[in-house]
Amino acid sequence: MGQRLNRCLDVPGALPPPPPLLPLRRRLLLLFIMLFLWLYMFYSCAGSCAALPGLAPRGSPAPPRAAAPRLPALLLRAPPGSPAAAAAPEPAEESSLEEQRAAPDAASPISSFFNGSGTKRLPQAIIIGVKKGGTRALLEFLRVHPDVRAVGAEPHFFDRNYERGLAWYRDLMPRTLEGQITMEKTPSYFVTKEAPARISSMSKGTKLIVVVRDPVTRAISDYTQTLSKKPDIPTFESLTFKNRTTGLIDTSWSAIQIGIYAKHLENWLLYFPIGQILFVSGERLISDPAGELGRVQDFLGLKRIITDKHFYFNKTKGFPCLKKAEGSSKPHCLGKTKGRTHPDIDQEVVQRLRDFYRPFNMKFYQMTGQDFGWD
């Protein structure tokens, strides 16, 4: 009996040993997969429910408006072989729009989760001019504001791409949340005859911003940009005059024509009230960026978030830079294409240009109610 009892008590092999614990990496991997599947099911359900009639979340954006009728594009060119044609400006130094187009609106719920929510909207505010006035600086400064979203490249929709339609234009815009403003900037709009009517057709309530600069300095800066791309173009002095002896200014040259601000503004006032257009001083944007940005934020109905603390003056470039750019913790200055050294221009030519622009400047001051101090 004792032997049978010993056999009963001898049980070390009666039960199988416990299975070894899974390696830590495998357990973490399984946990991550479970979490990912849970998130996918949650956001898929949320997206499906939101798509049902009557179950859209409160405050969701309204559907996009129908596209406005398309108008034929009009291209104005200088006569072939003329000095103005030789100095015709190159396309703006911007990256390709096709490369910067955002994803379509019909994104899956899971991609919306990772890429950010929001809706693509037509812009409520546009920087329409002027070339070499400081538009890129203004846009980069504004993008620091959390309630401003802007497309980086110049769309050139209302002057070069209007035949593509408003759906194409809207698809270029970044996604925005309720309360955020969608913006774009294309400086050539200000001097495009068809642009005011086309923007008004899109939305009569669009807010317009024009960055203006001393037209003489602006013309020299314009020429400097062209010269950097076409070193063999004629001199600034020869392009300025139709006849140097008589002193007749060649207003067909775009570098001169853009600076006749009063003439271009008259076209815009046929479609927009003066109170719907903000005129930003390119000079004050350099000397007092926070002050000018304060005016812009007020105009756009934004809280004054961009202040002096966002800027520092770069002595090498000669203009203010951001201490922290949008989406970055590092200081940011505009690229090497900005702040080029101007060539030496005959002071007699400079003075003749100042005399030429003076009456147009005076009229522009009266129209805007602002004295920009160019004379």
Side-chain angles (χ1 to χ4, degrees), residues 49 87 94 97 117 163 249 258 287 335 371:
C49 294
E94 303 292 343
L97 284 176
S117 59
E163 71 284 352
I249 303 294
I258 291 173
S287 63
D371 185 340

Side-chain angles (χ1 to χ4, degrees), residues 135-321:
T135 58
R136 173 54 59 185
L138 177 61
L139 186 69
E140 293 302 312
F141 295 164
L142 279 173
R143 292 173 80 173
V144 173
H145 201 292
D147 290 334
V148 172
R149 296 298 311 280
V151 60
E154 295 177 1
H156 284 280
F157 175 66
F158 295 104
D159 58 350
R160 301 179 190 171
N161 296 301
Y162 195 64
E163 71 284 352
R164 292 177 180 259
L166 284 174
W168 177 87
Y169 183 47
R170 177 176 170 271
D171 195 45
L172 297 177
M173 300 300 132
R175 296 180 183 276
T176 53
L177 301 174
E178 194 70 26
Q180 290 184 318
I181 293 177
T182 302
M183 293 188 66
E184 71 113 319
K185 77 106 178 171
T186 304
S188 53
Y189 290 163
F190 188 63
V191 297
T192 300
K193 185 178 179 180
E194 297 80 16
R198 291 172 175 178
I199 294 177
S200 177
S201 177
M202 176 188 73
S203 173
K204 295 183 182 298
T206 306
K207 293 185 177 182
L208 308 174
I209 300 175
V210 188
V211 187
V212 290
R213 180 185 183 187
D214 181 338
V216 177
T217 310
R218 197 223 65 83
I220 297 173
S221 180
D222 198 334
Y223 172 80
T224 303
Q225 176 177 303
T226 307
L227 183 66
S228 69
K229 301 174 183 179
K230 299 179 179 179
D232 57 341
I233 62 171
T235 64
F236 180 87
E237 291 83 354
S238 63
L239 290 167
T240 298
F241 299 102
K242 284 186 176 179
N243 188 312
R244 181 75 181 266
T245 304
T246 62
L248 183 62
I249 303 294
D250 187 358
T251 57
S252 68
W253 184 27
S254 64
I256 299 295
Q257 188 184 67
I258 291 173
I260 309 176
Y261 303 139
K263 173 185 175 184
H264 304 300
L265 180 57
E266 287 177 345
N267 190 32
W268 287 90
L269 294 181
L270 296 175
Y271 299 90
F272 294 93
I274 192 70
Q276 209 167 311
I277 308 174
L278 179 69
F279 300 92
V280 175
S281 167
E283 287 82 11
R284 286 196 292 272
L285 195 59
I286 295 175
S287 63
D288 181 21
E292 285 300 281
L293 264 293
R295 294 179 59 239
V296 177
Q297 290 172 95
D298 292 344
F299 175 71
L300 295 175
L302 299 170
K303 183 179 179 180
R304 284 200 177 197
I305 290 178
I306 307 172
T307 61
D308 283 324
K309 67 180 181 180
H310 289 90
F311 302 99
Y312 74 95
F313 190 82
N314 186 304
K315 294 181 180 179
T316 303
K317 285 185 170 290
F319 49 73
C321 300

